[in-house]
């Protein structure tokens, strides 16, 4: 045992001084003040909210680290199969409040304190010291290390894996600049860099002792010229940087299990490169070192769009190489034979971004560990599994072989060899289907330059491929990957519908609702957050007036919280009339701005409504009559567009122009408001989502793989309007079709509809035609009447790819239904709201992790 | 009082939990293990020496921070006059060992522990935990934030100011890359970037709450067009970056006073620049932010040479603006009138690098605080004092007005106005001396482009100007600044001879000698390190054989320590024969490589010696006869050349070529060895200096302002050979001319000698001629026989600017004397060694700080 290597005396001393977790307010205060006075070198006289946030975070981090150490030591001792979740994005949001909810406190002297109320304890302790918890929490900048759903999914998954005791680490990059902050200036999106580390980050453990060298460029050397690329080769790299580990403790809920999220940052090597000293002057060599850090400087701000930049490929390899090296080092400590690697290690690829890990593992096994090619490849394919997130062509990664081979010459050889063996197998199985080979090849030959199809490489290198909702998992089998289903058979392709963690999206985001649920279910320690099936008991109360009143009151409180936020962001002026909040439908669409997500459909609907209202007034209707037909409603938008995505940015501008006109039109007397909340992020989502009555998930059928904000809204008692797309399908199945407002064409008709548009380009419903004409009239953009022409033209003249015209009428009709139900059958509405929450359990990310564990990873919790 | 603003309950809690310093080994261990297990998130199973270094440093830092807080609170309460020492370089070396020596530990329960032995206590505590203090100390990278003497002087000064209780802060820059690491490859210096923060830095307190915006570029706006540049103007800056403070606690010796060294690092602002959003795309705005950090990326690696790069000027303004803003903020808290500013604040300019602080203060007072120009200027000149470090033209800073005005448009206006008033006063006083005006003007008009003479600006803006040794202080008055003496009178110009801190350069570098002194003086608590006059008592023992034997043994031990280092650096092979160490003269020259410091004179002397030995052998002498004339000697060199300094780099190559020939010539049987220790830095100096018998301080008379390594050698019992230059003069005065080997021409003759060289270019002594001929023969560089031609030519044909030929003969003769004394009159030699140490007291930097305090700053210690 390793113990015996340490002298008895030292061991005794270490044990004696072992750090203990605090479990009382008093001990927390002691630690807090210690951090203020030593780590921060401040005092009670200059301890502001920011310092309090830092000291509180460090104190709680210390507690987590103690459990982190124990968890990791347990894993080392038990040596179970481990899961590594590779994701280029982890959209974590804020950490302190989440830690307060998740962390486990046990005071043997005061067992009541262990009844799951660490947050309350810390709140009281801070209060005694003169700080308000809410103000302290508000100091924390969001860890915006992701673009949208993909990154937030990864964040939910690490929470669930920690909660369930799965021995799992996340691996990602520590971007110095997270997703840009969005400002709205004159209605336009303007991007400002998000230098989120500007005030340090108390939640990370800088692991200077974990520095892994990563190489780029260079050439391949094979000791004996006669051998092939299949034999052990030596890659002589040209550029070398260090990957330094930063660890973020991930506490599970109601467990002392604390998992790890390891993010890599690029740093210059300090080693001296003798090969280069001849041509390197000092100034130049410093500049070269400084460039190293640029690898992890910026998160690429695209969502569902692959941008083929060399630096992006560099990020991907840097991250894959460092993570894999780390994984291999850990495996090698166990001294097991390589054949056992897939029994000990499962690596999940979140989208194709980490596909290079497949190639890197093959390279390490063949070139460095000297395994036979096929033996190595067998290990590789048993280890990896790949999650597909999209069927959209523009989002599928491809790399030109020229660029790729320059950066990673040995990896290109290996990919060619992987492809060669793969195509041989395909040809053997389907000897007559010549066309199949070029369709299925990892190398695309038809484009001007040959390209590597990363999704195909990911499939060939994995033992399982999953989609993220039932519809999507079916779609990939019948469209982009159908040849692979033909070759491998269908069992390689599975579905794991996405989920979200109820700890953040219910307990943290919606404390009032959590409280009501906990009281109603008589579940004071909130076990339902672990076992969401318990929520079905809420169904018993759908006719209970008293309960529905409370339920409604929770929603109202959350609306006030949101209205406060909007007021604050609008320089202290209310946009939304506070008088009738309970009677105002809060209709939301918050997510990345994307044509396929169809915010344009939403805003066209708003314009239609506004014009109709104006028309009624013009035709002599009273405001009461108007209100009857178009009752009080606030349309709230939030979301970022990729900085280079012209059409999406134009949609943002249109929303803001419409808001400007509608919100200032006194004739409609506040019956309709439009709000664009700038800089939508996780913290804002936590305020926006709980306030919704209705939310919009209206992507063109077949385009949204799953969506997860739909689940978040449902979990917070909001109803949804949506197309038959992504997880909307399963939400409908779970909570019942009576409780969801579905509309629009189905995915199986999309191709035909698009085809038809070629021949009937102007065949628009009159409702939409009037909206587009009004936009074309320039009323929303008097200074630049043609401003929104591209949006109009894309529908009128460019084939309406996203089928806005096809779905517009049913969209309007469904909204009419919504209005009537909300305003005239409120108890029915509330019943639907309760049933939504009652049946949302399936969408807990805990369920996802169980499915991944059982069907893909073959791992079990370690308790 | 500020106390009353904090609720009683909170105050009581803070007091109850106030952090206490550890004062026992046990409490240190507790803290140490806490840091390992929480801050580092490691355990006894993976706590290596590096982790132990980090945990020990953080534990001790915590103790220092507690005293730091108390010290700063005391200063805030007492509000005494403060000193701010502005230096672009602080060559601090390592911090842990120094802190162990300086920090004050008082255990009321165990008063013996407070008898000044914190280092021993920690050593024992670490030993119990399984670590060797020496190995732990060895993990620390040098803080190499300086080039040479100037930076190390600043480091000694902050130590003395803390020790003496002067309320003083140092202000500098936190370079991400310190002075480059020097590698020797094929005899050549190769520079590699020193990324010293690669493993973090436990000694700094990152003050994210102190972020000061600094502006560059832009233009000047004056609200009403009619007003002049003398009236309050508005500088509209173009580029904006943040200066973030990093604090390094500076513990005084035997006091709980802990001062602060504040270093600024540049960071991007996160604020959004509305003025720019129109033309800024996202990628570009990120790149622009990233560039901000380059301001403090690199220390310019020149010593005594001014390089006119814009980035350097940017560094200077960034640092001056941030520091001044910080100083003003502190002053303004006292609510005193501006006229009291000079009574409360003394700012010392270490060389001209911070001269912009003068202009910045004038700008703030006039433009922002709206003071009248002359009132402001009176405050400015009473506040600043300037230390000159050189009379060499190439080292005097000048900035072209074009470059300057582009970067700092408002500052250029202010400089013009300062100059205008100054020249008016000069013209008034000397109305007939027209030539004087152009000579004394802050703006030099003669060069192709007009330039700002920073030294002149510093003089005009200061109330005192000092040189750093008596000879140098006289020289500036009679050469470069003589016109200013004529104008201001001589009393503005004073001398403060440099000094060094005996804590680092005796106690830390030479623990054996410190122990012998402490025993001999019967001074167990080492009071002599505070009162160096006590050392004179050593004079009583110069005839005490037993004592001299011990004294000699200390030197021998230190030689072994150095020989071990050299062996380690030479891949484990001894260069120096260990058999005769006591009988081998260790002759050293360690300092920056510079023609004016004349390492070439030293190496020519070695070549002469080697050739003479070879000649004797050739003429039939026995090796014993040779040894009699040229006894055992090791010549040790160390030092860096500026990367772009061709001649200095050639000198390094020559030393290494000579070493290669000499060390491998078996015929001379180890009588002579030459060693170049690569990458000379503070840590290596601490090993090299205590091992010296003789050291060389042989600059051309009048060129070395002071020198401080001469003092370090003397403090460690090494004798010196030197020219009548810099502090050599006062060393001779203090320790007696019998104890110093002086040689060479005097500074008053330099001009004439140089003039003569124009007419007698080849008038070389034959000794030197033979050396140069041998070099020219290519024997040292067979692969490139002409390699060293530029070195030879500079003497033979280019005027021998540094007077090597003039001093060569007396240099050789003096070395003959040295040899004979060391080898034949060892007790005389040892006596000189003892008397050197006995009389070195004057050169304690404590004495410097007292002089600065009395004659320049007008401040007193706060106790």
């Amino acid at each position: 045992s390793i113990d015996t290597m340490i002298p008895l005396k030292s061991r005794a001393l270490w044990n004696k001084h072992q750090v203990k977790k605090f479990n009382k307010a008093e001990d927390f205060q002691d630690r807090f003040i210690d951090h203020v006075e030593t780590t921060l070198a401040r005092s009670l006289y200059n301890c502001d909210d920011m310092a309090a946030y830092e000291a509180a975070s460090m104190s709680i981090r210390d507690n987590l680290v103690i459990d982190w150490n124990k968890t990791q030591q347990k894993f080392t001792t038990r040596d179970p199969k481990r899961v590594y979740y590779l994701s280029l994005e982890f959209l974590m949001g804020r950490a302190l409040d989440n830690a307060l909810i998740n962390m486990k406190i046990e005071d043997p002297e005061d067992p009541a304190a262990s009844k799951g109320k660490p947050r309350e304890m810390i709140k009281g302790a801070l209060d005694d010291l003169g700080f308000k918890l809410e103000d302290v929490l508000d100091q924390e900048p969001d860890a915006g290390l992701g673009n949208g759903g993909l990154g937030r999914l990864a964040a939910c998954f690490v929470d669930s894996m920690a909660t369930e005791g799965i021995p799992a680490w996340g691996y990602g990059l520590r971007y110095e600049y997270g997703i840009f902050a969005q400002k709205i200036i004159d209605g336009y999106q303007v991007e400002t860099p998000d230098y989120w580390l500007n005030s340090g980050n108390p939640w990370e453990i800088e692991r200077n002792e974990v520095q892994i060298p990563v190489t780029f460029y260079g050439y391949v050397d094979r000791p004996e010229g006669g051998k092939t690329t299949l034999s052990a080769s030596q890659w002589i790299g040209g550029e070398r940087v260090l990957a330094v580990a930063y660890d973020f403790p991930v506490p599970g809920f109601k467990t002392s299990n604390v998992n790890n999220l390891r993010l890599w940052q690029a740093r210059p090597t300090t080693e001296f490169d003798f090969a280069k000293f001849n041509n390197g002057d000092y100034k130049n060599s410093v500049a070269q070192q400084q460039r190293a850090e640029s690898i992890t400087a910026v998160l690429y701000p695209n969502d569902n769009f692959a941008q083929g930049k060399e630096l992006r490929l560099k990020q991907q390899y840097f991250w894959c190489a460092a993570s894999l090296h780390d994984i291999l080092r850990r495996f090698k400590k166990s001294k097991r034979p390589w054949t056992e690697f897939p029994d000990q290690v499962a690596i999940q690829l979140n989208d194709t971004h980490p596909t290079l890990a497949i190639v890197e593992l093959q390279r390490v096994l063949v070139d460095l560990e000297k395994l036979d090619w096929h033996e190595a490849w067998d290990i590789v394919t048993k280890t990896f599994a790949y999650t597909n997130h999209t069927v959209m062509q523009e989002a599928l990664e491809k790399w030109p072989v020229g660029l790729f081979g320059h950066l990673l010459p040995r990896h290109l050889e290996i990919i060619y060899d992987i492809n060669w063996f793969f195509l041989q197998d395909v040809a053997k199985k389907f000897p007559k289907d010549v066309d199949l080979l070029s369709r299925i090849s990892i190398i695309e030959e038809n484009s001007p330059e040959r390209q590597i199809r990363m999704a195909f490489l990911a499939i060939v290198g994995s033992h399982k491929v999953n989609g993220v909702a039932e519809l999507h998992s079916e779609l990939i089998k019948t469209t982009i990957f159908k040849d692979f289903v033909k070759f491998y058979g269908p069992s390689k392709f599975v579905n794991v519908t996405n989920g979200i963690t109820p700890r953040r999206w219910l307990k943290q985001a919606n404390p009032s609702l959590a409280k009501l649920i906990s009281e109603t279910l008589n579940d004071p320690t909130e076990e339902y957050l672990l076992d969401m099936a318990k929520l079905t008991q809420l169904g018993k109360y759908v006719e209970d007036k008293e309960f529905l009143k409370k339920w409604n009151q929770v929603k109202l409180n959350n609306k006030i919280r949101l209205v406060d936020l909007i007021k604050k962001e609008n320089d202290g002026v209310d946009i939304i009339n506070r008088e009738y909040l309970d009677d105002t439908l809060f209709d939301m669409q918050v997510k990345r701005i994307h044509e396929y997500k169809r915010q344009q459909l939403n805003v066209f609907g708003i314009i239609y409504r506004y014009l109709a209202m104006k028309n009624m007034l013009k035709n002599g209707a009273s405001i009461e009559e108007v209100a009857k037909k178009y009752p009080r409603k606030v349309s709230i938008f939030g979301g970022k567009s990729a900085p280079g995505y012209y059409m999406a940015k134009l949609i943002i501008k249109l929303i803001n122009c419409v808001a400007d006109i509608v919100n200032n039109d006194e004739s409609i007397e506040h019956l309709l408001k439009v709000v664009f909340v700038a800089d939508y992020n996780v913290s804002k989502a936590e305020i926006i989502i709980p306030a919704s009555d209705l939310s919009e998930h209206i992507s063109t059928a077949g385009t949204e793989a799953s969506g997860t904000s739909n689940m978040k809204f449902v979990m917070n008692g909001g109803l949804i309007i949506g197309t038959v797309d992504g997880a909307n399908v399963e939400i409908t199945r779970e909570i019942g079709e009576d409780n969801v407002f579905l509309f629009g064409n189905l995915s199986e008709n999309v191709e035909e509809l698009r085809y038809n548009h070629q021949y009937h380009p102007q065949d628009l419903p009159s409702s939409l035609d009037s909206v587009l004409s009004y936009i074309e009239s320039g009323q929303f953009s008097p200074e630049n009447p043609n401003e929104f022409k591209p949006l109009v033209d894309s529908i009128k003249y460019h084939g309406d790819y996203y089928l806005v015209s096809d779905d517009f009428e049913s969209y309007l009709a469904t909204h009419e239904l919504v209005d009537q139900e909300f305003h005239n059958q409120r108890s029915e509405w509330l019943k639907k709201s309760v049933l939504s929450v009652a049946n949302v359990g399936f969408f807990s990310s805990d369920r996802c992790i169980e499915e991944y564990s059982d069907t893909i990873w073959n791992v079990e919790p370690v308790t």
Side-chain angles (χ1 to χ4, degrees), chain A:
Chain A
S1 146
I2 194 168
D3 258 327
T4 58
M5 292 171 63
I6 298 164
L8 193 62
K9 183 182 171 191
S10 303
R11 250 188 296 158
L13 260 179
W14 278 89
N15 286 336
K16 182 179 155 199
H17 292 286
Q18 197 169 42
V19 193
K20 281 166 201 65
K21 281 169 70 179
F22 65 79
N23 50 31
K24 289 195 272 240
E26 205 189 338
D27 295 341
F28 164 76
Q29 288 167 336
D30 201 57
R31 195 116 197 136
F32 175 91
I33 291 174
D34 193 328
H35 275 302
V36 171
E37 296 191 345
T38 63
T39 317
L40 301 175
R42 301 178 80 164
S43 71
L44 81 160
Y45 302 115
N46 65 357
C47 185
D48 54 16
D49 282 340
M50 187 57 171
Y53 156 70
E54 292 177 314
S57 297
M58 288 188 288
S59 304
I60 285 154
R61 193 199 84 159
D62 288 343
N63 250 23
L64 296 187
V65 165
I66 292 165
D67 280 344
W68 186 98
N69 270 324
K70 284 188 188 145
T71 306
Q72 303 313 317
Q73 276 166 25
K74 184 175 69 185
F75 291 162
T76 303
T77 312
R78 304 248 199 114
D79 202 23
K81 182 169 185 180
R82 292 160 188 261
V83 174
Y84 298 106
Y85 195 82
L86 269 59
S87 179
L88 209 39
E89 305 184 7
F90 286 91
L91 191 45
M92 301 296 282
R94 288 173 171 167
L96 176 53
D97 203 12
N98 192 246
L100 291 179
I101 287 167
N102 277 18
M103 76 174 189
K104 192 174 184 184
I105 294 276
E106 280 172 320
D107 183 0
E109 292 165 35
D110 179 11
S114 57
K115 288 276 182 233
K117 302 291 180 206
R119 192 176 188 277
E120 283 66 21
M121 184 187 92
I122 302 293
K123 188 179 162 72
L126 284 174
D127 204 69
D128 291 345
L129 290 168
F131 299 97
K132 275 186 63 185
L133 177 61
E134 284 64 32
D135 297 340
V136 170
L137 293 176
D138 221 30
Q139 301 302 310
E140 183 172 357
D142 270 43
L145 306 183
N147 278 290
L150 178 142
R152 184 55 229 176
L153 182 75
C156 284
F157 279 7
V158 291
D159 181 89
S160 284
M161 291 191 289
T163 298
E164 298 193 16
I166 302 290
W169 281 30
Y171 277 109
L173 290 182
R174 182 180 183 264
Y175 304 103
E176 211 177 339
Y177 293 86
I179 182 68
F180 62 85
Q182 178 193 56
K183 307 230 179 250
I184 301 298
I185 295 172
D186 297 338
Y188 295 102
Q189 164 174 308
V190 174
E191 303 88 22
T192 82
D194 169 38
Y195 191 60
W196 69 295
L197 296 166
N198 203 34
S199 294
N201 179 6
W203 291 100
E204 63 189 15
I205 304 155
E206 185 180 341
R207 289 234 174 259
N208 288 310
E209 73 275 19
V210 182
Q211 305 200 343
I212 297 176
V214 177
T215 307
F216 301 101
Y217 307 108
Y219 59 95
V220 181
D221 197 33
R222 259 174 293 278
E224 292 149 56
K227 292 203 179 164
T228 73
T229 51
L230 298 179
S231 60
S233 308
Q234 204 188 352
W235 173 26
I236 315 291
E239 188 183 306
R240 207 172 157 90
V241 301
L242 290 178
V244 180
Y246 285 73
D247 288 349
F248 294 73
V250 180
F253 178 66
K254 280 187 187 287
T255 165
S256 55
N257 198 61
V258 176
N259 277 357
N260 196 26
L261 170 58
R262 176 158 286 184
L263 304 183
W264 300 106
Q265 193 192 36
R267 275 200 207 156
T269 58
T270 50
E271 67 197 26
F272 179 63
D273 186 347
F274 278 87
K276 275 197 192 149
F277 92 89
N278 279 314
N279 53 356
D281 60 308
Y282 174 60
K283 222 181 91 188
N284 200 16
S285 64
V286 172
Q288 199 179 317
Q289 283 209 356
Q290 289 181 277
R291 267 200 301 280
E293 292 171 352
S294 73
I295 294 175
T296 50
V298 186
L299 165 71
Y300 275 82
N302 302 310
D303 182 79
N304 271 300
F305 184 80
Q307 206 180 0
K309 299 279 184 200
E310 184 184 350
L311 185 57
R312 169 77 167 196
L313 188 60
K314 243 175 144 168
Q315 288 188 335
Q316 294 185 351
Y317 178 65
F318 171 81
W319 157 56
C320 291
S323 306
L324 204 62
H325 179 102
D326 211 37
I327 293 166
L328 290 168
R329 188 173 49 81
R330 206 166 295 119
F331 172 77
K332 285 167 100 171
K333 276 200 279 185
S334 73
K335 315 266 182 211
R336 293 172 188 263
W338 281 110
T339 48
E340 288 182 20
F341 188 76
D343 305 328
Q344 292 300 109
V345 173
I347 303 179
Q348 188 66 32
L349 307 176
N350 193 25
D351 209 331
T352 55
H353 313 143
T355 306
L356 281 170
I358 290 173
V359 191
E360 177 71 358
L361 179 57
Q362 179 72 1
R363 184 183 79 84
V364 170
L365 294 180
V366 171
D367 287 358
L368 306 182
E369 301 296 336
K370 316 291 183 196
L371 265 66
D372 164 74
W373 175 276
H374 299 284
E375 203 182 326
W377 186 242
D378 186 53
I379 291 167
V380 169
T381 51
K382 283 178 176 161
T383 301
F384 286 96
Y386 154 54
T387 304
N388 172 278
H389 283 273
T390 184
V391 296
M392 292 191 295
Q393 280 306 322
E394 67 270 31
L396 294 170
E397 288 192 292
K398 292 175 189 172
W399 291 104
V401 296
L403 184 158
F404 191 101
H406 176 60
L407 188 72
L408 300 167
R410 177 58 180 149
H411 295 78
L412 183 59
E413 287 182 356
I414 292 171
I415 290 172
Y416 278 133
D417 286 334
I418 291 170
N419 197 35
W420 194 77
F421 286 113
F422 170 63
L423 291 180
Q424 271 200 323
D425 289 349
V426 174
K428 220 173 283 165
K429 194 158 180 179
F430 303 100
K432 288 170 192 161
D433 193 345
V434 184
D435 201 40
L436 173 64
L437 289 184
S438 84
R439 284 205 314 275
I440 210 168
S441 171
I442 294 171
I443 308 294
E444 180 174 281
E445 307 269 356
N446 299 331
S447 47
E449 197 192 345
R450 289 197 289 178
Q451 309 226 64
I452 306 166
R453 295 158 160 161
M454 299 305 274
F456 289 12
L457 179 55
I459 295 170
V460 174
S462 295
H463 65 287
K464 287 279 187 228
V465 177
N466 75 291
V468 291
E470 275 179 14
L471 176 66
H472 169 243
S473 295
E474 277 311 304
L475 269 179
I476 60 175
K477 286 200 277 186
T478 53
T479 62
I480 52 173
F481 301 152
K482 69 167 181 278
D483 292 324
F484 288 93
V485 176
K486 186 174 168 187
F487 175 67
Y488 287 116
S491 67
K492 179 163 181 164
F493 296 84
V494 297
N495 173 56
V496 184
T497 300
N498 281 346
I500 57 173
T501 169
R503 273 74 68 182
R504 183 176 292 263
W505 295 112
L506 179 44
K507 169 77 178 161
Q508 185 179 328
N510 203 341
S512 323
L513 185 62
K515 190 156 169 277
L516 177 58
I517 292 173
S518 148
E519 284 166 9
T520 307
L521 300 186
N522 193 17
D523 181 10
T525 58
E526 297 173 310
E527 297 299 323
Y528 75 90
L529 291 170
L530 289 174
D531 179 6
M532 297 282 279
K534 287 190 194 294
L535 287 177
T536 52
Q537 296 171 48
L538 289 174
K540 293 190 291 187
Y541 301 90
V542 292
E543 308 293 350
D544 179 336
K545 291 244 167 73
E546 209 43 46
F547 174 74
L548 292 183
K549 203 175 146 192
K550 286 186 197 163
W551 190 265
N552 193 47
Q553 188 60 44
V554 164
K555 183 62 72 184
L556 185 59
N557 292 345
N558 289 332
K559 284 184 181 177
I560 294 169
R561 200 169 60 147
L562 173 58
V563 170
D564 289 343
L565 170 71
I566 291 170
K567 180 181 176 185
K568 199 178 109 197
E569 302 230 325
N570 191 38
D571 296 324
V573 179
D574 264 329
I575 298 174
I576 300 164
N577 193 332
R578 286 174 187 258
E579 251 180 289
Y580 309 101
L581 286 185
D582 185 42
D583 200 32
T584 304
L585 180 92
F586 275 47
D587 177 359
M588 295 164 175
Q589 189 173 17
V590 285
K591 48 185 74 203
R592 287 297 288 248
I593 312 296
H594 221 297
E595 287 165 285
Y596 87 82
K597 292 179 189 281
R598 298 203 294 193
Q599 282 89 357
Q600 70 276 37
L601 175 58
N602 189 342
V603 72
F604 293 162
I606 292 165
I607 294 170
Y608 177 83
R609 186 185 187 100
Y610 174 64
L611 295 181
M613 291 165 81
K614 295 287 283 181
N615 235 15
M616 282 181 77
L617 289 171
K618 199 173 132 198
N619 292 332
S622 70
I623 196 73
E624 288 72 24
E625 286 167 318
V626 175
K628 205 164 165 104
K629 173 106 176 137
Y630 298 109
R632 293 187 185 282
K633 168 166 165 168
V634 178
S635 270
I636 294 167
F637 291 86
K640 294 172 183 176
S641 156
Y645 189 171
Y646 175 72
M647 290 295 270
K649 291 176 105 165
L650 205 52
I651 292 169
I652 293 173
K653 171 68 174 167
L654 178 59
I655 293 167
N656 284 305
C657 287
V658 171
D660 201 37
I661 299 287
V662 170
N663 297 349
N664 294 304
D665 187 336
E666 290 180 8
S667 72
I668 59 168
E669 295 188 18
H670 305 297
L671 288 178
L672 179 62
K673 296 281 178 176
V674 180
V675 178
F676 189 95
V677 179
D679 201 37
Y680 179 65
N681 59 17
V682 173
S683 319
K684 288 190 180 165
E686 289 166 19
I687 293 172
I688 292 170
I689 291 170
S692 103
D693 296 306
L694 183 79
S695 63
E696 312 241 350
H697 308 279
I698 57 178
S699 50
T700 309
T703 60
E704 188 75 272
S706 160
T708 45
S709 82
N710 41 9
M711 304 165 189
K712 291 166 198 161
F713 281 103
V714 170
M715 195 176 278
N716 284 278
L719 272 50
I720 66 175
I721 179 169
T723 45
V724 184
D725 199 21
N728 292 351
V729 178
E730 287 142 285
I731 290 175
T732 308
R733 184 192 70 203
E734 291 292 315
I735 69 177
E737 58 185 349
D738 292 346
N739 302 318
V740 176
F741 298 95
L742 290 183
F743 75 98
N745 286 282
L746 302 183
S747 67
E748 54 253 48
N749 304 321
V750 166
E751 210 174 332
E752 193 190 336
L753 288 166
R754 282 179 179 159
Y755 183 80
N756 287 343
H757 287 177
Q758 314 292 320
Y759 299 95
H760 312 281
Q762 293 243 42
D763 199 5
L764 303 182
S766 67
S767 53
L768 181 58
D769 202 37
S770 67
V771 167
L772 296 185
S773 300
Y774 195 80
I775 295 172
E776 279 179 309
S777 74
Q779 307 258 19
F780 292 122
S781 53
E783 287 178 18
N784 180 6
N786 287 322
E787 176 136 36
F788 302 114
K789 198 167 181 296
L791 277 177
V792 173
D793 289 357
S794 77
I795 294 169
K796 278 190 159 175
Y797 310 115
H798 302 146
D800 187 16
Y801 190 77
Y802 298 101
L803 311 188
V804 170
S805 59
D806 305 281
D807 288 345
F808 195 64
E809 293 268 278
S810 68
Y811 179 66
L812 293 182
T814 310
H815 262 294
E816 223 165 298
L817 216 65
V818 165
D819 283 330
Q820 296 317 316
E821 284 225 25
F822 181 77
H823 288 280
N824 304 331
Q825 299 158 266
R826 181 61 71 88
S827 63
E828 276 308 296
W829 183 276
L830 286 174
K831 191 172 155 185
K832 291 179 184 197
S833 169
V834 173
L835 288 176
S836 293
V837 178
N839 295 299
V840 78
F842 178 77
F843 301 99
S844 164
S845 46
D846 295 350
R847 186 266 314 151
C848 306
I849 293 307
E850 282 160 29
E851 289 186 14
Y852 276 103
S853 298
D854 289 350
T855 62
I856 299 178
W857 302 333
N858 191 28
V859 296
E860 294 194 338
V862 173
T863 48

